[in-house]
Amino acid sequence: MSLLVVGLSHRSAPVSVLERAALSADTQIKLLQDTIAAEPATEAAVLATCNRIELYADVDKFHAGVAELSTLLAQHSGVGLEELTPYLYVHYEDRAVHHLFSVACGLDSMVIGEGQILGQIKDALATAQELHTAGRLLNDLFQQALRVGKRAHSETGIDRAGQSLVTFGLEQLTSGADVEGWAKGKRALVIGAGSMSSLAAATLARAGVAEVVIANRTLDRAERLAALLEEQYGQRLSDGGDTDVAARAVPMDAVPAELTRADVAVSCTGATGLVLTADAVAEAVEGRTGAPAEERAATPRVVRADLPPTSVGTDDGCPLDLSPVQGAAAFSVMGDAAVAGLDAAALEQHAAWVDNATVDRRRTHAARTPESDAGVIAALAATAAAIGRVPERRKPEPVALAPRPSPVLSLLDLAMPRDIDAAVHRLLGVRLVDIESLAEASADVPMAADVDMVRRIVSDEVAAFGAAQRAAHITPTVVALRTMAADVVASEIARLDGRLPGLDEKQRGEITQTVRRVVDKLLHAPTVRVKQLAAEPGGAGYADALRTLFDLDQETVDSVSRATDDINTENAKNRGRA
């Protein structure tokens, strides 16, 4: 059996796809159960966070495993397999181990070095254990990943390379200003009471906000979190500190009213629909300012007077840039070069612009088909033929940015799928940072020198894990060999009793011990050496050689392996509880 992981993350897929593919807790359980029911997999675990969805499995066939796991991910995520496939990545055996260890250390996170992923890996293992979908391999793998992650954080300065997603998000809200100075005295609303929301509430309280309001569908959880915040941060002023945070809990239906009082709101729930619509945010802004929230006007385009006019009409507002292909040899508006490298959505916008029509720019990729794409391209060619050429779009010139007022309401959306309507971006006086904007901002964050040290730790741990797994693979065979040898000794001693019935207990005991010592000495060197050889790369065949040489029964070996797996699984559960 071999380890296989199939998944997608912020590194392989746009946030819009991750958002649609997000798995609820119930869906994750169903995915695990269906994976185990599938033929190629005997173990399974799901690691689902706000920026990754990964399915781990122990499979006996690589190609069949990839096909089955990809299909299951598509079925349970609701994103079609053809659309999902370009964004999937696959890791196998040692590469799969290396990937999870890198994830555990925060090397693959949106914010390099963040430690929240360790709790998410622990939760993924606990779920697999509760559903009995994690066997020896995945128990060992995930437990070791947790140890590797903790080692990376304790032995290196990877914590300096990054911070939590909450802190990073708040830094984006401040546009580079000091978070504590920005948060001082503000009123904060936190929607949700899960692990990410709790971290957000604690981070805001630590930064010095005057009040934290927790809204949650289950009011009891919100009240417990508010009580913890009051206990930890509410007494700072009396203890000589400089902040005194008030915390209280409210039901979800109180969110609209609380939003009119809040300066900053953080949302991270497991809801499948929007928690805050653009209309709700606009009403909250109006409730704060007394004036209706207005949408930002389109930025005026600056056209330089020294540019030559186009030969056909005007190019103002044209959504297409054909300048790269117009310089190509044999360029023709009716030929393939005119549309080379342009997707159907861009072509459709251009055709509509030529016809002075309107375009629904919200049209999703899923709504398009090869037939509709072909129709759009044909329409563009016909339009170009009618007017004589395709007007080129001039290279964009610097634009005069319209002044933006300071936000009266700052919103941080850490949910996947999103909690806050993306249309909020257009509202004046509102600043929204969501997973999509965080993904863009994280691409520019420099990596610390400690990352190289963590990578070396990961490489060493991957090699050690592989050696341990290969050695463990041969252990049932060695145990079966020693069991067979013990049975032979017992059989021969019984036969000796029949031939020499006059032996007293002392004589019989000495003979038995002598025979056992001889067998143990004969088996010691080859069993120790075969374990060493099996731990090396390519050593998997030694177990087969041992079974063949000593004619060991495969069922006996399998029964030893099952018993070992049961013990390891129970030990892993106990370690998790501890």
Side-chain angles (χ1 to χ4, degrees), residues 339-362:
V339 293
L342 302 173
D343 58 46
L347 293 172
E348 183 181 23
Q349 291 176 19
H350 180 270
W353 170 75
V354 171
D355 290 336
N356 293 319
T358 59
V359 176
D360 182 1
R361 295 176 185 267
R362 296 169 298 176

Side-chain angles (χ1 to χ4, degrees), residues 257 324 335 376 392 465 484 507 526:
V376 169
E392 69 272 17
F465 183 82
M484 183 190 74
Q507 293 170 329

Side-chain angles (χ1 to χ4, degrees), residues 347-414:
L347 293 172
E348 183 181 23
Q349 291 176 19
H350 180 270
W353 170 75
V354 171
D355 290 336
N356 293 319
T358 59
V359 176
D360 182 1
R361 295 176 185 267
R362 296 169 298 176
R363 186 179 181 190
T364 64
H365 174 76
R368 289 161 36 204
T369 65
E371 293 76 13
S372 65
D373 287 359
V376 169
I377 294 172
L380 174 65
T383 302
I387 66 172
R389 66 188 293 273
V390 177
E392 69 272 17
R393 181 185 182 186
R394 292 174 182 157
K395 185 177 180 179
E397 296 297 323
V399 297
L401 296 177
R404 290 175 55 181
S406 298
V408 297
L409 179 60
S410 299
L411 302 174
L412 177 58
D413 185 359
L414 298 175

Side-chain angles (χ1 to χ4, degrees), residues 535-547:
E536 297 175 0
Y542 285 99
D544 295 334
L546 208 59
R547 286 194 298 270

Side-chain angles (χ1 to χ4, degrees), residues 312-355:
V312 179
T314 176
D315 64 351
D316 286 351
C318 173
L320 206 58
D321 183 6
L322 289 179
S323 54
V325 296
Q326 284 182 331
F331 175 81
S332 167
V333 296
M334 295 295 291
D336 292 339
V339 293
L342 302 173
D343 58 46
L347 293 172
E348 183 181 23
Q349 291 176 19
H350 180 270
W353 170 75
V354 171
D355 290 336

Side-chain angles (χ1 to χ4, degrees), residues 197-208:
S197 299
S198 300
L199 178 61
T203 303
L204 288 164
R206 192 164 51 247

Side-chain angles (χ1 to χ4, degrees), residues 423-478:
V424 168
H425 278 293
R426 299 197 300 267
L427 295 176
L428 286 170
V430 178
R431 168 89 163 132
L432 171 63
V433 171
D434 54 20
I435 291 295
E436 190 165 14
S437 54
L438 287 177
E440 295 172 357
S442 67
D444 299 326
V445 175
M447 298 177 69
D450 296 277
V451 169
D452 290 335
M453 188 181 299
V454 174
R455 285 174 174 160
R456 288 194 292 272
I457 289 175
V458 169
S459 296
D460 292 344
E461 292 285 357
V462 169
F465 183 82
Q469 289 299 306
R470 288 187 292 270
H473 178 69
I474 203 170
T475 298
T477 304
V478 172

Side-chain angles (χ1 to χ4, degrees), residues 25-337:
D26 291 340
T27 304
Q28 291 178 42
I29 291 174
K30 188 66 168 62
L31 174 58
L32 284 174
Q33 294 170 337
D34 289 351
T35 303
I36 290 299
E39 182 179 346
T42 58
E43 300 181 37
V46 173
L47 178 58
T49 71
C50 60
N51 54 28
R52 77 178 61 251
I53 303 163
E54 296 177 344
L55 178 56
Y56 291 78
D58 188 7
V59 299
D60 57 359
K61 298 173 183 176
F62 172 72
H63 293 290
V66 171
E68 189 65 37
L69 266 58
S70 302
T71 301
L72 288 168
L73 273 177
Q75 289 176 348
H76 290 80
S77 69
V79 180
L81 182 58
E82 290 185 0
E83 183 180 358
L84 191 64
T85 298
Y87 305 114
L88 293 177
Y89 49 77
V90 174
H91 299 296
Y92 190 54
E93 296 187 328
D94 284 353
R95 289 185 63 86
V97 177
H98 189 282
H99 174 73
L100 181 59
F101 287 3
S102 297
V103 169
C105 293
L107 293 179
D108 198 58
S109 296
M110 187 177 294
V111 181
I112 298 296
E114 61 92 8
Q116 293 165 261
I117 188 64
L118 288 174
Q120 293 161 335
I121 291 175
K122 185 177 180 180
D123 291 342
L125 175 60
T127 300
Q129 288 174 342
E130 290 172 5
L131 297 174
H132 304 289
T133 63
R136 179 186 61 82
L137 176 60
L138 292 187
N139 270 299
D140 290 350
L141 175 69
F142 276 69
Q143 290 285 354
Q144 187 64 21
L146 292 171
R147 287 191 286 270
V148 173
K150 292 175 183 176
R151 179 188 169 191
H153 284 279
S154 63
E155 295 183 12
T156 74
I158 190 67
D159 291 327
R160 295 193 299 269
Q163 63 260 50
S164 73
L165 199 61
V166 172
T167 305
F168 187 60
L170 291 175
E171 288 184 354
Q172 299 307 304
L173 278 180
T174 66
S175 300
D178 177 64
V179 172
E180 290 193 1
W182 171 83
K184 186 75 171 178
K186 281 184 166 59
R187 294 185 295 270
L189 170 64
V190 176
I191 305 175
S195 57
M196 187 73 80
S197 299
S198 300
L199 178 61
T203 303
L204 288 164
R206 192 164 51 247
V209 296
E211 181 186 46
V212 180
V213 178
I214 312 296
N216 194 54
R217 298 188 188 283
T218 305
L219 187 57
D220 288 347
R221 294 190 64 181
E223 289 173 341
R224 286 197 298 270
L225 178 54
L228 287 173
L229 292 172
E230 282 261 318
E231 179 181 352
Q232 187 167 3
Y233 300 101
Q235 302 301 319
R236 281 191 175 185
L237 204 61
S238 60
D239 294 340
D242 58 357
T243 61
D244 187 12
V245 179
R248 57 190 175 87
V250 298
M252 285 294 286
D253 56 13
V255 165
E258 293 296 337
L259 206 58
T260 63
R261 302 178 63 253
D263 301 297
V264 56
V266 180
S267 186
C268 186
T269 73
T272 55
L274 292 175
V275 175
L276 292 179
T277 63
D279 289 341
V281 174
E283 290 176 5
V285 172
E286 182 176 354
R288 288 179 60 91
T289 63
E294 298 179 358
E295 292 194 2
R296 293 189 178 92
T299 303
R301 188 169 184 269
V302 177
V303 181
R304 285 172 48 184
D306 58 338
L307 290 177
T310 53
S311 57
V312 179
T314 176
D315 64 351
D316 286 351
C318 173
L320 206 58
D321 183 6
L322 289 179
S323 54
V325 296
Q326 284 182 331
F331 175 81
S332 167
V333 296
M334 295 295 291
D336 292 339

